[in-house]
Amino acid sequence: MIVRSIVGKLWVTVVAFTVVVLIVFSSLLSQFVSGFLLNKELDDLVILARSAAQVLLSAADREQSRTLTELRSVIEETKDRRLYLVFGPDAAELPQGLRPIAASAEFRPVWSGGSVKLRTTYEEGGKRIPVLVVASGAAVPAGKGAVLILEPEASFRPIVEGIDRLILGTIVLSALGVTAWALFLTRRITQPLTDISLAAKRIAEGEYDTHLAYDFQDEIGLLARSFNQMASRLRESINALREKGEELEGVLESMEEGVFLTDTEGTFLHANSAARRLVPSLEEFFSLIRPQWEEAIREGKTVRLAELEFLGRSYHVTLTPLYREEGGVRGVSVVFRDITLEVRLETLRRDFFANVSHELKTPVALMQGYTEALLDGLARNEEEERELIQIIHEETLRMGRLVQDLLDFSRLEAGRLKLYRRPTMPEELVTRLKRRFDPILRERGIRFRTAVETKGSYCLDPDRFEQILTNLVDNALRYTPYGGEIAVRAWEDEEVLWFEVSDTGVGIEPEDLPYVFERFYKGDKSRRRGEGGSGLGLAIVKRLVEAHGGTIWVESTLGKGTTFRMRFPLGELRSCDEEDV
C-alpha cells in the first residue's frame, strides 16, 4: 500500500499538516471576518443612532415629527432594523421583550447622553432572538430620552455565510493544490530512494553490474555515488571470491584424495568427485567415522585414522574441525585416501622378504653343509665327493633360477622390461619347448602331446613367449605324477590366438584358484615349496601374457588336473615394434 511507503508517509504528513493549518486558519479568518462585520455594523448603527438622537429627540414641532416618521421609515426599511424612542429608564415605549435591555446596567450611559452597542437576545413570540442593539441618549424638553436601534443578526448572516463559503472554497482548492504538489514533490524526492532500493534488490539477486545514474549535487547525489562505489567494490570482491572459489574447486577436483565438508549437524556441504569415486556411498562411509567426527567437534582438534576398513578396502582418514571467525566449530573437513594398494604392497613386501629368505635358506644351508663336508674330507671316495659337488651345483642352479625370476618380476613390476616383437611361428616355439623338456619327461614317464593349428606367424617376443610356456610346463611337471600327461595346444579362432597348457596332475583347491597368479602365494597343494619352485613363475607368466595384450586364467579339478588357457586378440599381435612393458 502507498501509505506504508516513504512516498505515502511523507505525502500524508504534508497533506495532513497543510489541511490542519488551513482549517485553523479558515476558522480564525471566519471568526475575524464575522467579528469585523459585526463591529462594523455596530459602529454604523452607533453613528446612525447618534445622528437620529440629535435630530429626532430635539423635535418640538409637527414638522420635525414628520421628519422623525420619515427617518424611522428609512431606517426600518434597511436590514430589518427597528427604531424606538425611549423616554426614561422605565422604557414604556419598548416592547415587553426589550425593556430588560433598557433597564440593564450596560444601558445606563445612554441616560447620561452617551452611546452603547450590544450583542444580546430578546424574547419575542416565545423565542430568543439574537440582535444588535445600539442606543444614543440626548436631552429632550421632557427630560431624558434615547434613540434605540435594533437589528437582528440574521439580517446580515447571509453576508457572513457567503464569506465563509468563499473561505471554505478557497481552502478546499488550496488543499487540493497542496495535495497534488505534495504528491509530486514527495515522489520527486523519494524516487531516487526507490531506485536505490530496487538497485540494492538487484544486487542482492546477483546483478552486481547495477549502476545508479544520479549526479545531483545534494544528499541524494552523494548517496547515489556512495552506492555506486559500494556496488563496484562489492562486484570486485564477489569476482575475487568467485575466482578463489574456482581455484579451490579446481584444487579439490584435481586431488586424488577424497574431500568432503559437513556442518555440525552432519549435513554434507561439499564433496569432490574423488570422494564419490573412492567410496560407493559417502553416507555409509560417514556413518562409519561418526564417532571420530563427533570427537573432532567436541575436542576441537584433528583426528586421524591410520587404517579404516570399509567394504573390503582400506582408507587413511583425517578429520579437521573448521572454525568461525568469532570462535567455535562450524563444521568438519574430512580428507581420506584409498591405501588398499599400499597395504597390499606392504603385505607383499613382508611376504616377499619372508619367502625369499625361505627360498634361499634351504639351498644356502645345503651348500654350506656339503661344502663343509668336502672341506672336512668326509667323502669316503671320489664318487661320494662327486655326488656332493653335484648337489652343490644343483642348488646353485636353483638359486640362479630364483634370482633370475626375481629380476624378471622386478623389471615387470617397475615397467623396465622391453618386448622385442618379431614375426614368430607358434610351431617353432612348441618344438623348442618339447626338445627342452624331452629328457626329463622320459625320465619321469610323462607323456607330452602337442597340437598346433595356427596360420602363419604372429608379432611376439619369442624369448619371453617361450618363457611363458616354459614356466607353465615346468609348473605342470612338478604336480603331474609318473605316467601322467601334459598337453600344449595352439589354435586361431575368430581373430583370436589361443594357447593352452594342461596336465593330469593333482589339481588345485577351489579356494586357492583366485590366488595362483600372486607371487609367493602358498596353497595347501598347488604351491608346495618342496618341489623346488621359486613361487614367482605364474606371477611372471600372467604379467608377460598381459604385456602381449592377452589374458590368462586357470581351470582345475582336484585329482584330475589343471588347465591354463591364454587368449590373444590378433589386433594386439600385428605390430612388431619394440615396446616397453
Side-chain angles (χ1 to χ4, degrees):
M1 296 176 63
I2 189 171
V3 178
R4 296 182 179 179
S5 66
I6 295 178
V7 174
K9 292 177 181 178
L10 187 59
W11 175 69
V12 168
T13 301
V14 172
V15 170
F17 177 78
T18 303
V19 169
V20 169
V21 170
L22 289 175
I23 290 174
V24 172
F25 175 75
S26 64
S27 176
L28 295 176
L29 182 61
S30 177
Q31 292 179 10
F32 172 78
V33 171
S34 297
F36 175 80
L37 291 176
L38 286 173
N39 290 329
K40 182 69 170 58
E41 187 69 14
L42 285 171
D43 291 340
D44 292 344
L45 290 176
V46 168
I47 294 172
L48 188 62
R50 285 176 180 174
S51 299
Q54 293 296 327
V55 174
L56 299 177
L57 293 178
S58 62
D61 54 30
R62 191 177 300 275
E63 182 180 358
Q64 288 178 330
S65 298
R66 191 170 50 252
T67 304
L68 174 63
T69 303
E70 294 173 356
L71 186 59
R72 175 182 284 129
S73 64
V74 172
I75 292 174
E76 291 181 353
E77 279 182 353
T78 307
K79 299 182 179 178
D80 298 326
R81 294 171 184 164
R82 298 179 189 177
L83 185 143
Y84 296 97
L85 294 177
V86 182
F87 300 97
D90 56 349
E93 298 82 7
L94 294 177
Q96 187 66 33
L98 294 176
R99 289 175 184 177
I101 297 175
S104 66
E106 292 89 346
F107 208 80
R108 289 176 186 174
V110 174
W111 307 120
S112 302
S115 300
V116 296
K117 50 184 178 180
L118 302 174
R119 289 185 66 187
T120 184
T121 61
Y122 80 99
E123 186 174 352
E124 184 179 48
K127 296 180 179 180
R128 301 298 296 182
I129 300 174
V131 292
L132 299 178
V133 177
V134 297
S136 181
V140 295
K144 295 180 180 179
V147 173
L148 185 146
I149 301 175
L150 182 143
E151 182 178 343
E153 289 187 11
S155 63
F156 63 89
R157 179 56 59 186
I159 298 174
V160 175
E161 291 177 352
I163 294 174
D164 287 343
R165 284 194 296 272
L166 179 61
I167 293 173
L168 180 61
T170 304
I171 290 174
V172 170
L173 290 177
S174 299
L176 292 176
V178 168
T179 300
W181 173 251
L183 182 60
F184 167 76
L185 186 61
T186 52
R187 282 189 178 277
R188 183 174 178 82
I189 293 174
T190 58
Q191 185 60 43
L193 298 179
T194 303
D195 292 342
I196 292 173
S197 176
L198 293 175
K201 184 177 181 180
R202 288 197 296 271
I203 288 179
E205 293 172 351
E207 299 180 22
Y208 302 113
D209 293 329
T210 302
H211 181 80
L212 292 174
Y214 289 113
D215 196 23
F216 304 143
Q217 300 303 315
D218 55 10
E219 290 81 0
I220 296 295
L222 178 61
L223 178 61
R225 287 190 292 273
S226 299
F227 182 90
N228 290 336
Q229 186 177 14
M230 178 201 69
S232 177
R233 291 183 178 178
L234 180 62
R235 180 172 61 254
E236 293 173 0
S237 299
I238 292 296
N239 290 336
L241 287 174
R242 184 182 292 113
E243 291 175 0
K244 292 293 183 183
E246 291 174 354
E247 291 174 2
L248 180 60
E249 184 70 20
V251 170
L252 289 177
E253 290 301 319
S254 65
M255 291 176 63
E256 291 296 328
E257 293 83 357
V259 179
F260 65 87
L261 309 177
T262 70
D263 60 16
T264 54
E265 300 297 325
T267 303
F268 285 90
L269 303 177
H270 180 78
N272 66 350
S273 57
R276 303 192 180 280
R277 185 180 68 251
L278 290 175
V279 293
S281 172
L282 271 181
E283 289 74 16
E284 293 181 15
F285 183 81
F286 178 66
S287 65
L288 186 63
I289 62 172
R290 185 88 185 198
Q292 291 75 24
W293 176 83
E294 293 175 350
E295 180 184 351
I297 293 178
R298 184 176 60 255
E299 303 294 335
K301 63 180 183 181
T302 300
V303 179
R304 289 182 173 85
L305 293 172
E307 185 176 341
L308 175 71
E309 294 293 329
F310 178 65
L311 299 180
R313 301 193 70 82
S314 301
Y315 299 91
H316 180 277
V317 186
T318 302
L319 300 96
T320 305
L322 305 174
Y323 295 93
R324 300 185 183 90
E325 289 187 6
E326 62 273 16
V329 177
R330 63 180 176 85
V332 176
S333 167
V334 181
V335 181
F336 62 97
R337 59 188 179 91
D338 191 335
I339 59 171
T340 305
L341 182 59
E342 296 176 21
V343 172
R344 289 178 181 175
L345 288 176
E346 178 61 22
T347 302
L348 290 174
R349 184 188 66 81
R350 291 195 297 266
D351 292 345
F352 173 79
F353 284 109
N355 284 286
V356 168
S357 299
H358 176 77
E359 293 293 339
L360 291 176
K361 182 178 180 181
T362 300
V364 169
L366 288 174
M367 291 171 61
Q368 180 181 357
Y370 289 128
T371 303
E372 290 175 355
L374 290 174
L375 291 174
D376 294 340
L378 296 180
R380 289 172 296 191
N381 50 48
E382 185 177 346
E383 183 178 351
E384 287 187 2
E385 183 176 339
R386 184 175 181 83
E387 184 179 351
L388 292 176
I389 294 174
Q390 180 65 32
I391 293 173
I392 293 172
H393 176 69
E394 290 176 356
E395 294 301 325
T396 303
L397 294 177
R398 180 181 173 188
M399 290 180 61
R401 288 195 301 272
L402 176 61
V403 171
Q404 187 59 48
D405 285 346
L406 287 171
L407 288 174
D408 289 343
F409 191 80
S410 64
R411 289 193 187 102
L412 287 167
E413 289 284 277
R416 294 197 301 267
L417 186 68
K418 290 185 180 294
L419 290 183
Y420 298 93
R421 294 177 182 262
R422 61 176 183 266
T424 304
M425 299 184 68
E427 293 92 340
E428 296 177 357
L429 294 175
V430 174
T431 299
R432 288 201 301 269
L433 185 71
K434 183 177 181 180
R435 188 164 51 246
R436 169 182 290 185
F437 284 98
D438 190 60
I440 192 171
L441 289 168
R442 287 199 304 270
E443 180 183 341
R444 296 191 180 185
I446 297 174
R447 296 185 302 278
F448 189 75
R449 293 190 302 104
T450 62
V452 180
E453 302 172 3
T454 58
K455 303 172 183 179
S457 59
Y458 306 89
C459 289
L460 307 171
D461 183 329
D463 295 332
R464 294 302 177 185
F465 211 90
E466 187 173 345
Q467 184 180 0
I468 293 173
L469 297 176
T470 299
N471 285 358
L472 291 175
V473 173
D474 182 66
N475 185 75
L477 273 171
R478 277 187 270 120
Y479 303 111
T480 301
Y482 185 87
E485 180 180 284
I486 297 175
V488 178
R489 294 180 57 210
W491 72 96
E492 182 180 324
D493 178 22
E494 296 180 356
E495 294 295 313
V496 175
L497 176 63
W498 297 87
F499 272 88
E500 183 181 277
V501 177
S502 60
D503 63 61
T504 59
V506 295
I508 304 173
E509 293 279 0
E511 60 269 21
D512 293 331
L513 283 175
Y515 308 104
V516 296
F517 294 108
E518 291 187 8
R519 55 186 178 180
F520 299 122
Y521 179 76
K522 294 181 179 180
D524 292 339
K525 295 181 180 180
S526 63
R527 314 296 281 174
R528 292 176 295 175
R529 294 288 180 261
E531 298 294 337
S534 67
L536 293 172
L538 293 180
I540 292 173
V541 165
K542 184 176 186 297
R543 284 159 178 76
L544 287 175
V545 169
E546 292 173 349
H548 280 84
T551 54
I552 183 172
W553 64 94
V554 60
E555 299 172 359
S556 183
T557 304
L558 282 176
K560 292 185 178 181
T562 302
T563 299
F564 288 89
R565 189 169 289 114
M566 294 169 282
R567 181 182 184 277
F568 299 92
L570 294 182
E572 298 288 337
L573 305 179
R574 292 194 175 104
S575 175
C576 291
D577 297 331
E578 175 185 324
E579 61 178 287
D580 292 331
V581 178

